[in-house]
Amino acid sequence: MNSTAKRLRAGLLALAALQTLVSVWQYVFPRSFYDDFPTVRLDPPYNEHLLSDVGGLGLALTAMLFYAARVMDRRVVVSALTGYVVYAGTHFLFHVRHFDHFSVRDAVGVGTGLGLEWVLALTLLYVAWRHHRTS
């Protein structure tokens, strides 16, 4: 591996480490993140910052999925689907733990829709893994 590739890998690992730290804190301890991360609690009750950040992350994931569909490279497809499986799984798990104020109809609708989305992503990841393994 040449020196440029080594520096690129080091930079990617640094970004991944920083993002992991913040993301785990946000996902596992959301109240602590809200209360303790500098400036977050200063945002207004309707949190445009939070929603636009989540929307931006969704758009980034969308771009990865479109790119994977375009190039159909094994590594790109598996990488994009792995990211989507993590997103869809954590989104589904959040909602199935927070149905207290939902009607039964809404809980079934949301739970089913998000569950199917996660199962589809897992299925596509399995198909991609099998397809590229036999190719």
Side-chain angles (χ1 to χ4, degrees):
M1 181 181 309
N2 68 35
S3 64
T4 301
K6 287 179 184 177
R7 286 192 303 272
L8 181 58
R9 177 176 280 166
L12 289 167
L13 289 171
L15 284 175
L18 289 169
Q19 190 60 52
T20 299
L21 176 69
V22 172
S23 296
V24 167
W25 187 7
Q26 289 171 319
Y27 190 76
V28 178
F29 305 107
R31 187 65 206 202
S32 169
F33 186 84
Y34 181 82
D35 289 338
D36 302 325
F37 193 85
T39 75
V40 172
R41 68 179 171 277
L42 301 176
D43 286 340
Y46 160 69
N47 197 328
E48 181 181 357
H49 174 214
L50 174 64
L51 291 174
S52 65
D53 282 358
V54 170
L57 290 169
L59 289 172
L61 191 51
T62 299
M64 290 173 57
L65 291 167
F66 275 122
Y67 183 71
R70 171 74 173 94
V71 299
M72 290 302 292
D73 175 80
R74 176 185 65 84
R75 292 181 198 142
V76 174
V77 169
V78 169
S79 183
L81 286 170
T82 298
Y84 197 82
V85 163
V86 171
Y87 162 73
T90 56
H91 190 198
F92 172 70
L93 291 174
F94 175 85
H95 279 284
V96 298
R97 293 188 332 255
H98 295 88
F99 282 145
D100 300 347
H101 61 285
F102 280 52
S103 70
V104 171
R105 189 183 109 226
D106 289 342
V108 169
V110 169
T112 302
L114 294 175
L116 288 173
E117 183 179 39
W118 192 20
V119 168
L120 175 60
L122 285 165
T123 302
L124 289 171
L125 182 58
Y126 175 75
V127 168
W129 177 76
R130 294 273 308 186
H131 169 72
H132 293 298
R133 187 171 162 235
T134 60
S135 299

